[in-house]
Amino acid sequence: MKYVLVSGGVISGIGKGVLASSTGLLLKTIGLKISPYVSSIKIDPYLNIDAGTMNPIEHGEVFVLDDGGEVDLDLGNYERYLNITLTRENNITTGKIYQHVIEKERKGRYLGKTVQVVPHITDAIQDWIQRVAAIPVDDSNETPDVCIVELGGTVGDIENAPFIEAMRSLRRRAGKNNFLQIHVSLVPIINGEQKSKPTQEAIRQVRSGGLSPDLIACRCEETLEEATIGKVANFCMVELDQVVAVKNTSTYRVPNLLAQQGLIKSLRDILHLDEIPKPSKMLERGQGVWHEWETLTSEREPISDEVKIALVGKYTKLHDAYLSIKKSLEHATMHCKRKLDVMWVEASNLQPETEMDDPKLHQQSWRKIYESDGMLVPGGFGDRGIEGMILAIKYARENDKPFLGVCLGMQVAVIEFARNVCGIPDADSQEFRPTGSTHVIVDMAEIDQEQMGGTMRLGLHTTAFQPGSEWSKIRALYGVDNKQKDAPTKKIKERHRHRKEVNPKFVNLLESHGLSFVGKDDVPSSQQSQRMEILEMRTHKYFVGVQFHPEYLSRVIAPSKPFLGLVAACAGMLDEVTEDLRVQCKSPDRARRGTEGGLGSLSTLSLNEQVDGPVVNGVDGH
C-alpha cells in the first residue's frame, strides 16, 4: 500500500480537501502506465466521535455515507471526485481513537501496561489507517493501491500532535517509496508583493514534528511568480519542481491545474507507481475519464443563460453548511448548459417579525424570492425560520414556481399544505410544537429522542414508487426499468438523515386535496408502507419534496435527479431532459460505462463545456 498525506499550515480552511480529492483523481485517471485504485481517509483532530452533533454554522455540512456514517464534508469531495463509496471508518477523529484505545484498556488488552499517547494512541492511528486503506471502495471490489490521507486542522495545533507523530511513524512503517507528503501552505499578497515567509515558517514547523514534505502546494490569489517559487524552493530546501502553485480558481479546474504542473510525474517518480501492475483496460479507462474531465472543465465560450435558485435555509451565513446542496445544483446546471446563481435567503428574514425590526432586510429577502426562477428548501433542525419557510413555499405553490424540498423542506411543505389547503390552521411538527397543535409531522417510533449522536434514520434506504404514479415527473427523471419494457423505474436508493416523518394518519386527507405521495418506504408486499418518502403535485410545473438527501449521491457526470428536475424546470427544459435520461437508461453500453468504477460518460449527459464553480478558498474548499 502506498500513502499520500495531505497536510496544511499557516491557516485552516486552506483547501486541503480539494487538493486531496484532485490528487486522487489524477492518480485514478491519468496514471500513465497504471491507473491505481484509490481510497481516501480524512483525519479530524476534534474530540467528537463523529460530525453528527456539530452545528452546521460552526463546522459546515454533515455528510452522510451509505452505511449511515455522519462525517466531515471533505468525504463528500472524495466521493464526488473519485466516484467511490466510503464508510464511517474512513473518517478518523480523536474521539474515535481514544474511545477505541480506552475500550481495549478496559478489556485488559494491554496486559497491565501503562497506556500512553506514544505508543498506544499513535499505534492505534496507524493500525486504523492501514486497515481501512485496504478496504475496496468501488464496484471493482479491488484492494486500493494508493490511499490519500488528509490531516485536518493545521500543523502546530495541540490536538494534531498525536497524528503528526503517527504520520511520522507511518512513513517509516510503510517503507521507502511508499509514502509521500504534500503540505499545503499560503502565499499571501501584501501591497502587491507575494510573500513566501509564512510558507517557510510552515515548512519549518512541520519538519520540527518529524515530517518532511515531498511537495509544497502554495495557495495564492494569483499565479505564483517564478521568483516566489524560487524563494520557496531555496529556503525550504526543495527542488523547483517540488513547488506546486495553486491559484484561486474553480474547484473543478484544480485537477487540470495540478496536471499542467506535472504533479502526476512527481507522484509516479516518488512513489514508484510504475511498479504497480494493472491490466490495459485500467489504462484505457483512466485515459478516457481524464479526457472527459478535461472536456467538461475546460474554458470555452461562456454560458449566458442563467438559472436563479432561491435557497431558503437556516444556516445561510456559512455556505459550507449546504456544500453538497450547492454542488448538486452545479452538477445539474452543467447538464442543462446553464449558469447557476444561488440566491441565499435566510428563512427568518421572510417572517413578519423581521418586517417590523428591519423592513429593508425583509424586503430584500422577499425580492430574491420573487426574482428567482425556482426555490429550494434544504434540511435542518429546530424551529428557527420555519414560519419563513412556510411563507416561501406557499408563494411557490400558488405561483407555479418550481420547488424542491429536501428532508425538512419536504416536512415544511406538508405543514404549509395542511394549513392552507386542507384547512388545519394549527398543523405543525412535533419537533417545533410538542403540544397544543395538530401534528402532521411526528417522531419516528423507533428513534431514540433523548440520545442525539448517531440515533437518526441514517444511510442508504430503498424508496418504492407507488402504483398509479406513472405520471410523476420525479419518477420519470429516475429513468426506466429495462426489465419491464420501458416502464418507469419502481425502486430507488438514496441516503437519509432524519428523526421525523409525515404522520400517516393525515396522508389520505393530504392526497385527497392534491398532494400525492408518489414514493414510500420499501416494505414487503404483505405490509402497507407508512413512511412517506416523496411528495409531488401533479398540476404544478415542478413541486417535489423528498424525505431523503439526494445531494449526497450527486456526481459531476451523474447529477442528482431531484436537483436536475428543479434546474430543468427553471430552464423550461424538463421534458427534454427527461427524454434524454430515458434514452440513456435504455442504452446498456451507456449505463455500463457510468458504473464501472470510473467517472462514466460525459458525452451521454450533454454536459456544459464550461464550469463556473466556486473558487478554492477557506469557505468552499476546507
Side-chain angles (χ1 to χ4, degrees):
M1 178 64 67
K2 297 180 183 294
Y3 301 92
V4 176
L5 171 64
V6 179
S7 57
V10 184
I11 60 171
S12 60
I14 200 168
K16 299 185 298 294
V18 172
L19 192 132
S21 301
S22 300
T23 301
L25 177 64
L26 291 177
L27 283 169
K28 190 168 185 176
T29 58
I30 56 169
L32 300 178
K33 293 183 180 179
I34 57 94
S35 183
Y37 299 96
V38 181
S39 181
S40 296
I41 293 174
K42 172 68 187 295
I43 296 173
D44 286 304
Y46 46 68
L47 282 171
N48 305 63
I49 298 298
D50 58 35
T53 58
M54 290 183 164
N55 187 337
I57 296 179
E58 176 182 332
H59 180 72
E61 169 190 77
V62 176
F63 192 82
V64 177
L65 303 170
D66 275 6
D67 68 351
E70 297 174 287
V71 297
D72 184 82
L73 57 80
D74 278 319
L75 274 79
N77 279 330
Y78 303 156
E79 287 200 341
R80 283 187 287 266
Y81 274 69
L82 305 180
N83 196 31
I84 57 179
T85 301
L86 303 175
T87 71
R88 66 182 76 222
E89 300 284 87
N90 291 83
N91 194 189
I92 302 175
T93 70
T94 297
K96 281 183 180 179
I97 293 295
Y98 273 80
Q99 183 185 55
H100 172 72
V101 171
I102 290 171
E103 286 176 353
K104 287 181 65 177
E105 186 275 332
R106 290 290 83 190
K107 293 176 181 178
R109 299 287 176 81
Y110 293 109
L111 302 176
K113 292 182 179 179
T114 302
V115 180
Q116 299 175 293
V117 174
V118 181
H120 300 100
I121 294 294
T122 53
D123 281 352
I125 294 168
Q126 295 174 73
D127 293 343
W128 191 305
I129 291 174
Q130 289 187 303
R131 173 176 58 83
V132 174
I135 298 174
V137 290
D138 60 23
D139 55 9
S140 70
N141 207 34
E142 296 278 351
T143 300
D145 296 313
V146 181
C147 181
I148 309 292
V149 181
E150 179 190 347
L151 177 58
T154 305
V155 171
D157 293 345
I158 293 175
E159 58 265 33
N160 257 346
F163 293 103
I164 294 293
E165 172 60 21
M167 293 302 99
R168 184 196 67 78
S169 298
L170 182 62
R171 176 187 280 268
R172 186 175 180 85
R173 187 188 288 193
K176 188 177 181 180
N177 304 323
N178 290 325
F179 190 100
L180 177 149
Q181 182 184 2
I182 304 174
H183 194 65
V184 188
S185 187
L186 178 69
V187 176
I189 298 177
I190 308 295
N191 296 325
E193 182 182 357
Q194 295 179 357
K195 296 291 186 179
S196 65
K197 188 67 71 176
T199 295
Q200 296 174 38
E201 292 297 322
I203 297 301
R204 184 177 294 115
Q205 188 167 41
V206 74
R207 283 176 175 160
S208 70
L211 290 171
S212 182
D214 301 280
L215 299 171
I216 303 172
C218 298
R219 285 292 315 283
C220 190
E221 294 178 7
E222 301 173 353
T223 301
L224 224 56
E225 298 170 358
E226 289 187 12
T228 306
I229 295 174
K231 269 188 177 182
V232 171
N234 183 32
F235 291 105
C236 295
M237 295 183 292
V238 296
E239 299 300 321
L240 290 173
D241 61 2
Q242 291 178 269
V243 181
V244 181
V246 187
K247 67 177 181 179
N248 283 5
T249 185
S250 160
T251 56
Y252 300 110
R253 295 194 186 112
V254 173
N256 305 67
L257 187 64
L258 298 176
Q260 291 166 8
Q261 297 178 71
L263 178 64
I264 191 64
K265 182 180 184 302
S266 298
L267 295 171
R268 184 187 61 183
D269 293 345
I270 296 172
L271 292 175
H272 289 203
L273 296 179
D274 290 339
E275 297 176 0
I276 302 176
K278 281 291 173 291
S280 58
K281 69 174 185 178
M282 287 302 301
L283 173 62
E284 295 173 3
R285 182 186 300 172
Q287 290 176 339
V289 168
W290 180 244
H291 173 72
E292 291 172 336
W293 183 277
E294 282 190 306
T295 301
L296 170 66
T297 59
S298 62
E299 295 186 17
R300 298 190 181 181
E301 297 207 1
I303 301 298
S304 57
D305 293 334
E306 189 175 57
V307 170
K308 298 180 179 180
I309 306 293
L311 193 154
V312 184
K314 296 163 60 70
Y315 319 117
T316 57
K317 291 180 181 178
L318 179 64
H319 294 178
D320 256 9
Y322 299 114
L323 182 61
S324 290
I325 291 281
K326 190 166 185 293
K327 295 296 183 186
S328 299
L329 289 171
E330 290 171 2
H331 302 163
T333 49
M334 287 184 225
H335 182 103
C336 296
K337 297 186 178 180
R338 294 295 187 272
K339 184 177 180 181
L340 176 65
D341 180 10
V342 177
M343 308 174 78
W344 301 91
V345 180
E346 186 68 26
S348 56
N349 293 341
L350 301 173
Q351 298 176 177
E353 296 85 349
T354 303
E355 186 176 17
M356 299 291 294
D357 299 336
D358 193 337
K360 185 176 180 180
L361 179 61
H362 182 265
Q363 185 180 32
Q364 289 174 343
S365 299
W366 272 106
R367 184 179 298 118
K368 292 179 181 178
I369 299 294
Y370 301 145
E371 294 177 354
S372 68
D373 299 310
M375 183 189 305
L376 190 153
V377 178
F381 299 92
D383 62 354
R384 181 178 60 83
I386 296 300
E387 295 302 321
M389 292 180 180
I390 290 174
L391 292 171
I393 293 172
K394 181 175 184 289
Y395 177 83
R397 178 179 57 80
E398 293 180 342
N399 291 274
D400 203 26
K401 186 181 288 288
F403 164 79
L404 174 62
V406 175
C407 196
L408 175 67
M410 168 184 163
Q411 295 174 5
V412 176
V414 170
I415 296 171
E416 186 279 324
F417 196 86
R419 286 185 187 180
N420 299 312
V421 179
C422 297
I424 310 175
D426 65 340
D428 219 313
S429 170
Q430 198 170 350
E431 178 181 6
F432 313 140
R433 293 174 63 187
T435 59
S437 62
T438 301
H439 295 145
V440 294
I441 304 296
V442 295
D443 297 331
M444 287 188 288
E446 71 271 27
I447 299 299
D448 187 340
Q449 301 300 326
E450 299 297 327
Q451 184 76 19
M452 301 300 290
T455 59
M456 288 184 277
R457 183 173 180 244
L458 295 164
L460 198 69
H461 295 278
T462 302
T463 295
F465 284 105
Q466 299 303 290
S469 65
E470 288 77 12
W471 57 266
S472 166
K473 299 179 180 69
I474 185 64
R475 183 174 181 178
L477 284 165
Y478 274 102
V480 297
D481 185 349
N482 288 324
K483 296 180 181 179
Q484 299 295 325
K485 297 182 179 180
D486 298 341
T489 187
K490 291 184 177 181
K491 295 181 181 180
I492 59 172
K493 290 185 177 181
E494 294 279 6
R495 294 176 180 176
H496 293 66
R497 185 177 186 250
H498 64 110
R499 298 179 187 277
K500 314 296 177 183
E501 64 179 342
V502 177
N503 190 338
K505 295 178 181 179
F506 291 92
V507 168
N508 289 338
L509 176 63
L510 292 163
E511 290 199 315
S512 68
H513 284 78
L515 193 66
S516 301
F517 292 97
V518 297
K520 298 181 182 180
D521 189 27
D522 187 34
V523 296
S525 57
S526 60
Q527 301 177 19
Q528 182 179 358
S529 178
Q530 298 293 304
R531 183 158 291 150
M532 306 302 115
E533 291 281 0
I534 307 175
L535 65 79
E536 185 172 357
M537 290 184 65
R538 186 169 188 171
T539 58
H540 199 281
K541 183 184 297 182
Y542 188 82
F543 191 97
V544 172
V546 293
Q547 185 59 74
F548 46 80
H549 286 266
E551 68 271 22
Y552 294 144
L553 290 178
S554 186
R555 302 290 185 265
V556 175
I557 49 78
S560 163
K561 301 306 188 294
F563 287 90
L564 181 59
L566 174 66
V567 171
C570 292
M573 56 188 303
L574 182 57
D575 291 341
E576 175 187 342
V577 168
T578 303
E579 176 60 19
D580 184 37
L581 290 172
R582 189 187 69 82
V583 171
Q584 291 173 39
C585 288
K586 291 174 66 176
S587 171
D589 179 62
R590 290 179 176 184
R592 182 170 57 253
R593 289 170 67 192
T595 58
E596 286 185 333
L599 288 171
S601 173
L602 299 180
S603 59
T604 64
L605 292 176
S606 305
L607 288 171
N608 178 13
E609 294 177 339
Q610 171 171 341
V611 178
D612 290 308
V615 298
V616 185
N617 54 37
V619 173
D620 193 43
H622 257 223

